[in-house]
């Protein structure tokens, strides 16, 4: 094998150095700058993506905060509308109740007046009927008709 021959080592070492030097120069001036450019481009792209993601995150947080504030305002307005409706309904109900109570009071007073009038009339008629019956009974028992004053006095005494 020629590479193991000590006489061939000199030229082999020279070619090794020449090949290593050329490969080293190609790596330093061609391959590594291209790789560095790609790494820098990726780093810039990643930084840009991170900045965009951070901006979008802030915008999302702001949108969420605005949504929550709008939701809170809407709930507050709805609560105010409900309270206003409830208050208005209570006022209307109170007015209707007062009106109905007034009407019922008037009807009740009228009914009481009619009842009292009927009671008074009935009592007068009862007194009259009682006086007539008492007069008939006395006349049939003793044969003599009592006077109107005596009959009225007896009925009044009996009713007490």
């Amino acid at each position: 094998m020629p590479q193991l021959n000590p006489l061939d080592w000199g030229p082999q070492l020279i070619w090794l150095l020449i090949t290593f030097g050329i490969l080293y120069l190609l790596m330093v001036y061609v391959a590594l700058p291209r790789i560095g450019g790609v790494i820098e481009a990726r780093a810039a792209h990643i930084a840009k993506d991170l900045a965009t993601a951070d901006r979008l995150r802030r915008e999302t947080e702001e949108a969420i905060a605005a949504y929550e504030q709008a939701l809170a305002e809407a709930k507050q307005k709805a609560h105010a509308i409900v309270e206003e409706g409830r208050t208005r309904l209570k006022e209307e109900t109170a007015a209707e109740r007062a009106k109905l109570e007034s009407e019922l009071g008037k009807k009740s007073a009228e009914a009481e007046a009619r009842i009292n009038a009927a009671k008074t009339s009935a009592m007068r008629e009862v007194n009259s009927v009682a006086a007539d019956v008492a007069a008939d009974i006395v006349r049939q028992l003793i044969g003599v008709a009592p006077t109107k004053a005596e009959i009225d006095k007896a009925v009044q005494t009996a009713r007490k």
Side-chain angles (χ1 to χ4, degrees):
M1 289 189 56
Q3 56 267 38
L4 296 179
N5 187 357
L7 295 174
D8 292 333
W9 284 357
Q12 287 179 2
L13 284 175
I14 289 175
W15 282 111
L16 176 69
L17 287 175
I18 291 172
T19 306
F20 183 74
I22 291 172
L23 288 175
Y24 180 76
L25 291 175
L26 282 174
M27 290 297 285
V28 168
Y29 292 110
V30 177
L32 289 178
R34 287 184 184 172
I35 292 172
V38 169
I39 290 174
E40 287 177 10
R42 278 192 173 178
H45 187 67
I46 290 171
K48 185 179 88 172
D49 288 347
L50 287 175
T52 303
D54 188 47
R55 179 182 54 82
L56 292 175
R57 181 188 53 82
R58 282 193 312 270
E59 289 175 2
T60 303
E61 289 173 355
E62 290 172 0
I64 289 172
Y67 169 75
E68 289 175 354
Q69 182 179 4
L71 183 64
E73 289 174 1
K75 284 181 180 179
Q76 187 177 19
K77 286 180 183 178
H79 183 68
I81 290 170
V82 167
E83 284 300 318
E84 178 184 327
R86 185 177 292 150
T87 303
R88 186 171 24 107
L89 187 59
K90 283 181 182 178
E91 290 172 357
E92 289 174 2
T93 304
E96 282 293 320
R97 178 176 284 143
K99 180 180 173 184
L100 287 175
E101 286 177 357
S102 172
E103 289 176 9
L104 287 176
K106 288 178 184 177
K107 287 182 181 181
S108 176
E110 290 173 4
E112 276 187 43
R114 284 194 309 259
I115 289 171
N116 286 336
K119 184 178 174 183
T120 305
S121 172
M123 291 309 282
R124 271 187 262 138
E125 289 178 16
V126 166
N127 287 341
S128 168
V129 170
D132 290 343
V133 169
D136 284 342
I137 291 173
V138 169
R139 191 175 324 122
Q140 287 179 359
L141 287 177
I142 58 173
V144 177
T147 65
K148 177 105 173 125
E150 291 173 334
I151 292 173
D152 286 340
K153 184 178 178 186
V155 169
Q156 291 296 331
T157 305
R159 286 203 48 168
K160 290 183 182 179

